[in-house]
Amino acid sequence: MNTTDAIELLKQKGYKTTGKRKDILSYFEEADGYRTAKDLIQHLEETYEGISFDTIYRNLHLYNEMGILETTELNGEKHFRMNCTHHHHHHFICKDCGRTKEIDVCPMEEVKKSLKDYDIEDHKFEIYGLCPECQRV
């Protein structure tokens, strides 16, 4: 997903596309990996002095609900990134910098074998650790 696709989706669902909303989307499109609401506020404060956490969280929740952003939890805090919808994959997530690396291997075939009487609706597979750059520090 990119900013243009996200704006189009917002319009289709009847949401206004304000400058703040566009800037939030652009931030996540340009970010390399997961980012927190605090990261976003620090970025937006340069343009929107006094922007509130409420505004940020309301938009982050909306974008997540609409499938524009995906979330994960790192160190007890929610992190967000632009949703990758081009193909099925999973992520390695750096616990220090939030960068991600796509993992094309999916363990679901093995999991389905051990849960054959269960109705699996969805799944999420993430690996956490340190990226090569953060290991050097």
Side-chain angles (χ1 to χ4, degrees), residues 1 24-36 39-40 43 69-70 72 74 79-84 86 89 91-102 129-134:
M1 173 128 353
I24 291 170
L25 292 168
S26 294
Y27 173 76
F28 283 104
E29 184 176 14
E30 294 169 15
D32 181 16
Y34 284 90
R35 298 290 174 254
T36 64
D39 295 332
L40 177 59
H43 172 75
L69 295 180
E70 56 186 56
T72 193
L74 287 169
H79 287 62
F80 302 85
R81 69 172 270 142
M82 193 67 84
N83 198 349
C84 314
H86 54 280
H89 65 277
H91 293 112
F92 169 88
I93 304 168
C94 181
K95 291 176 74 173
D96 276 0
C97 70
R99 283 189 191 101
T100 61
K101 177 164 178 42
E102 288 185 9
L130 298 177
C131 70
E133 286 184 39
C134 290

Side-chain angles (χ1 to χ4, degrees), residues 27-60:
Y27 173 76
F28 283 104
E29 184 176 14
E30 294 169 15
D32 181 16
Y34 284 90
R35 298 290 174 254
T36 64
K38 184 179 175 183
D39 295 332
L40 177 59
I41 277 199
Q42 288 174 343
H43 172 75
L44 292 177
E45 280 180 335
E46 299 169 12
T47 308
Y48 303 100
E49 188 176 323
I51 191 167
S52 72
F53 270 106
D54 192 43
T55 298
I56 296 298
Y57 281 108
R58 191 172 40 254
N59 281 288
L60 290 174

